[in-house]
Amino acid sequence: MSYQSIQQLLKTSPVGTTVTVKGWVRTKRESKNATFIALNDGSTINTIQAVAERGPAEAGLLPEETLKLITTGACVAITGQLVESQGAGQSVEIKLESVHIYGPADPDKYPLQPKRHSLEFLREIAHLRPRTNTFSAILRIRHALAFAVHKYFNDNGFYYLHTPIITASDAEGAGEMFRVTTLSATKPPLTEEGKVDYSQDFFGRETNLTVSGQLEGELGALALGKVYTFGPTFRAENSNTTRHLAEFWMIEPEMAFYELEDNMNLAEDFVKTVIRYALQHCEDDLTFLDNRLKEEEKSKKKEEQSDLSLLEKLQFVISNEFVRLTYTDAIDILANSKPAKKKQFQYEVSWGVDLQSEHERYLVEKHFKKPVILTNYPRDIKAFYMKQDDAPATNERGETFGQTVRAMDVLFPGIGEIIGGSQREDDLDKLTTRMQEVGIDPEALWWYLDTRRFGSAPHAGFGLGFERLVLFVTGMGNIRDVIPFPRAPKQAEF
Ligand code: 4AD
Ligand code: MG
């Protein structure tokens, strides 16, 4: 049976023709003379209304037993003439002539009732939540953003490089990895010293799920020029926050001959372009989420309400230049800020500390009121591969601090860090020394160091957490609500 998507049908509105749509019943309303069915097929946030006249079966109308099966959640195909709608709320509707019920849904047991459910409840039924307006909107926007990412890089001369998911190295050196093994969990083979003998494991060595495709990305950049990865990334950090997942998707461009400044320019242009794409291609879904957020804001205290609506916030970000400043200058601002003086920060700030999200958000939301790119962080709080600056940091007053690296973090309102990246250390000696200092065996990464041995070049790259981008664009508050099936501590049901 041929059928049309509701999105297509509403766009073309072929009034007077007979059409078939297939989808899931959102609501059913009955009056004395007619039954009104709102049908959604996931192609759009909008539903189409089908109207079934009630009356005797002899008059060619649907028997009451069939109408009874059309309940919220049921999957049906509806055929009828498309007509101008009599009622308010829709311009066209289907005059129901026949219906096929693919799958009924017992209305007493179906968990999604036609009312607003809490996000917490919906997380417990993640297998069904894509059938709600909010989640289907998020998933369509997520798709559009993923497509925009590939389009951006393709349009700009980058090659998509598929980096491995199973690796033997820890790219970030943070040790937050999930082990991959086929050894027995209860009786693994042991070495003479009593340790697990990984030489007998599947890969003949210890392997993990990757925390980043960067190291392999660098190999690609130093051959193809400009590459990017876009794949699943895994971190076993036990952080139960609204910004962290154990499995998330990361986009990592890596470019030969780019220095820190070029890297910042690319990052800014890239995020603005993909956000603009979503604004242009997801109007209905973004408007729905914008209204949803406005409703939510109303229930907040006045001082906690945000000045900008979701759509205004997205427009604001694409039409303003990001602020760029060094870590050292940021520390100056933070140390002299009101919350620091009033001891309102949970973590103290001084040169050398890693910034907490409360500090990042103060800079972005209170001080600059714009996205911020922070650069030149202390070497000791960043990964081993970052290029070292020529001289230690100094501030405006001439005070000197420690060694810094050419790092950059892009900080967004409501999110904190959305991008982390750097220029890479291309000097073999400096890189090897740094690895030894932080306890990474240069022998184990011999292949990585080979790029510095043979034809080394200045290069740079960054990583964008895809879910943090989706979080920002959808205005949602919890990262677990912008990925279909979230993986977080104690959460891997679906
Ligand atoms: O800052 P990170 O750790 O940087 C890297 O992994 C580099 N290798 C990237 C590169 O230069 N190629 O992670 C990059 C981004 C963060 O800014 C954040 O947006 C996201 O990845 N991210 C997470 N997103 C969700 N859940 C987590 N647990 C995340 N950890 C990092
Ligand atoms: Mg980072």
Side-chain angles (χ1 to χ4, degrees):
M1 194 200 312
S2 83
Y3 69 103
Q4 276 177 293
S5 79
I6 293 173
Q7 188 220 30
Q8 195 60 25
L9 197 63
L10 293 176
K11 203 153 88 186
T12 53
S13 284
V15 170
T17 64
T18 297
V19 298
T20 297
V21 287
K22 300 182 178 191
W24 291 266
V25 176
R26 280 292 166 77
T27 57
K28 183 172 78 167
R29 192 164 52 82
E30 296 191 306
S31 74
K32 204 162 129 264
N33 301 324
T35 299
F36 301 89
I37 301 151
L39 196 73
N40 184 278
D41 66 359
S43 62
T44 160
I45 190 96
N46 300 304
T47 53
I48 187 132
Q49 172 163 285
V51 185
E53 238 181 280
R54 296 176 81 179
E58 302 85 75
L61 300 173
L62 283 191
E64 286 290 322
E65 308 85 83
T66 310
L67 281 175
K68 258 202 202 112
L69 291 173
I70 307 176
T71 58
T72 296
C75 183
V76 300
I78 287 176
T79 301
Q81 203 183 54
L82 194 72
V83 295
E84 310 250 347
S85 178
Q86 309 294 311
Q90 65 275 322
S91 58
V92 291
E93 62 191 22
I94 298 173
K95 211 169 151 226
L96 192 147
E97 282 153 27
S98 68
V99 61
H100 174 76
I101 297 177
Y102 285 108
D106 183 343
D108 296 329
K109 295 195 180 133
Y110 187 54
L112 285 173
Q113 294 302 315
K115 62 161 195 179
R116 182 175 277 238
H117 292 290
S118 76
L119 296 172
E120 289 76 16
F121 170 71
L122 292 174
R123 243 169 261 151
E124 289 167 16
I125 51 164
H127 59 305
L128 292 174
R129 66 180 185 172
R131 294 188 189 180
T132 64
N133 281 337
T134 301
F135 282 92
S136 63
I138 292 167
L139 292 178
R140 282 185 296 268
I141 292 168
R142 187 182 162 103
H143 161 82
L145 285 168
F147 181 76
V149 166
H150 287 297
K151 176 168 163 40
Y152 179 87
F153 288 122
N154 187 60
D155 287 351
N156 287 282
F158 284 71
Y159 294 109
Y160 183 20
L161 184 76
H162 296 95
T163 51
I165 288 176
I166 300 173
T167 71
S169 55
D170 177 2
E172 292 302 299
E176 293 161 335
M177 296 177 300
F178 291 100
R179 182 163 299 149
V180 175
T181 181
T182 53
L183 292 180
S184 158
T186 46
K187 275 205 182 114
L190 299 178
T191 61
E192 278 174 8
E193 298 91 64
K195 292 191 177 147
V196 176
D197 184 4
Y198 287 106
S199 71
Q200 294 188 48
D201 205 346
F202 188 92
F203 296 105
R205 60 197 303 167
E206 213 178 325
T207 50
N208 308 289
L209 293 178
T210 188
V211 296
S212 157
Q214 180 196 321
L215 301 191
E216 291 89 354
E218 288 186 51
L219 311 181
L222 293 172
L224 297 170
K226 294 196 286 188
V227 299
Y228 73 102
T229 70
F230 185 175
T233 312
F234 308 86
R235 300 213 178 158
E237 48 194 338
N238 206 349
S239 37
N240 242 318
T241 79
T242 56
R243 306 278 175 268
H244 290 85
L245 287 166
E247 176 180 300
F248 62 101
W249 287 65
M250 186 152 53
I251 296 137
E252 298 183 273
E254 193 71 34
M255 299 75 61
F257 315 116
Y258 272 47
E259 300 192 3
L260 184 60
E261 173 93 18
D262 311 304
N263 206 23
M264 286 194 272
N265 293 343
L266 179 76
E268 183 167 345
D269 185 54
F270 165 61
V271 271
K272 283 179 170 171
T273 307
V274 297
I275 293 172
R276 193 174 302 116
Y277 184 92
L279 277 166
Q280 285 165 352
H281 292 84
C282 306
E283 206 184 328
D284 288 351
D285 289 323
L286 283 172
T287 304
F288 172 82
L289 293 175
D290 189 65
N291 289 330
R292 181 190 171 278
L293 221 62
K294 279 179 186 149
E295 281 301 310
E296 212 172 69
E297 287 285 299
K298 280 188 202 154
S299 62
K300 285 190 189 163
K301 286 189 233 139
K302 217 135 204 94
E303 61 274 17
E304 282 169 19
Q305 292 181 359
S306 83
D307 329 335
L308 299 181
S309 73
L310 174 63
L311 289 170
E312 287 166 345
K313 195 180 68 174
L314 299 179
Q315 278 298 346
F316 180 83
V317 164
I318 60 171
S319 46
N320 280 283
E321 261 179 42
F322 296 0
V323 174
R324 299 179 182 192
L325 84 160
T326 65
Y327 167 92
T328 304
D329 289 343
I331 291 290
D332 244 14
I333 292 170
L334 288 167
N336 292 308
S337 68
K338 236 193 232 165
K341 291 193 167 144
K342 288 191 175 167
K343 302 229 178 293
Q344 283 164 338
F345 284 138
Q346 201 185 335
Y347 297 88
E348 281 191 28
V349 272
S350 60
W351 202 95
V353 302
D354 205 355
L355 295 184
Q356 299 295 323
S357 100
E358 56 177 348
H359 307 131
E360 296 174 342
R361 292 182 64 171
Y362 173 82
L363 289 170
V364 173
E365 289 160 31
K366 297 276 174 343
H367 190 81
F368 290 111
K369 296 191 165 42
K370 268 187 201 175
V372 172
I373 310 184
L374 278 191
T375 61
N376 307 90
Y377 281 73
R379 180 180 65 183
D380 292 345
I381 57 170
K382 288 291 183 188
F384 71 94
Y385 51 70
M386 296 193 181
K387 185 166 181 66
Q388 300 190 30
D389 279 309
D390 297 334
T394 53
N395 66 10
E396 278 182 346
R397 297 180 299 282
E399 292 172 276
T400 309
F401 302 95
Q403 177 66 45
T404 54
V405 285
R406 290 190 196 163
M408 59 167 218
D409 277 7
V410 181
L411 314 178
F412 259 38
I415 305 285
E417 180 190 335
I418 193 163
I419 285 179
S422 74
Q423 190 174 336
R424 318 304 189 191
E425 185 55 80
D426 50 312
D427 181 283
L428 178 63
D429 290 339
K430 280 191 183 157
L431 184 56
T432 315
T433 307
R434 189 66 197 145
M435 287 168 83
Q436 281 157 342
E437 280 168 7
V438 298
I440 297 171
D441 179 13
E443 286 291 310
L445 283 181
W446 63 271
W447 47 271
Y448 181 67
L449 291 172
D450 257 8
T451 53
R452 276 63 167 177
R453 283 190 190 102
F454 310 117
S456 187
H459 62 289
F462 61 81
L464 167 76
F466 186 55
E467 284 73 20
R468 293 199 185 170
L469 173 71
V470 184
L471 201 54
F472 181 74
V473 173
T474 57
M476 298 300 288
N478 192 322
I479 199 161
R480 295 174 199 198
D481 295 334
V482 299
I483 186 165
F485 307 106
R487 297 287 176 262
K490 307 275 180 291
Q491 191 174 38
E493 177 77 14
F494 305 99

